[in-house]
Amino acid sequence: MMFWYGDHTNGWGWALMAIGMIAFWGLLITGIVMFIRSTGGVAQQSHQRLASPTPEQLLAERFARGDIDEVEYTRRLDVLRGQVRT
């Protein structure tokens, strides 16, 4: 072979092969991760399940269960929204 120095690759050849291999695997792994995230993988579904309800939703649930009456519900809802009546 006329482009090689002897029968072995020099230091630049090894460096370029190492950089090429790291770039190949990095691109491959990045592509797989991006594909999984774009298709709605497990992380997005579990995040939606773990989202806590807002204070207004919790108050509405208590009212729906009958824990508090309508007067208490509207009073607390006004407090949450910053519309305190005197």
Side-chain angles (χ1 to χ4, degrees):
M1 291 187 210
M2 64 190 257
F3 297 110
W4 297 89
Y5 296 106
D7 59 349
H8 298 293
T9 305
N10 63 7
W12 288 106
W14 288 108
L16 289 175
M17 283 192 295
I19 291 170
M21 186 59 67
I22 292 170
F24 170 76
W25 285 109
L27 287 172
L28 185 68
I29 291 170
T30 302
I32 291 170
V33 169
M34 289 177 64
F35 176 74
I36 291 172
R37 285 188 179 178
S38 69
T39 58
V42 176
Q44 289 179 353
Q45 292 172 356
S46 65
H47 177 68
Q48 291 173 352
R49 261 188 279 126
L50 296 176
S52 60
T54 64
E56 290 182 6
Q57 290 172 338
L58 290 173
L59 187 61
E61 287 177 11
R62 289 187 62 196
F63 179 62
R65 283 193 308 257
D67 295 343
I68 56 175
D69 61 352
E70 185 178 357
V71 174
E72 183 72 15
Y73 172 73
T74 55
R75 186 182 66 78
R76 289 183 184 211
L77 191 60
D78 289 341
V79 170
L80 283 175
R81 292 181 177 167
Q83 303 169 350
V84 180
R85 297 180 190 168
T86 56

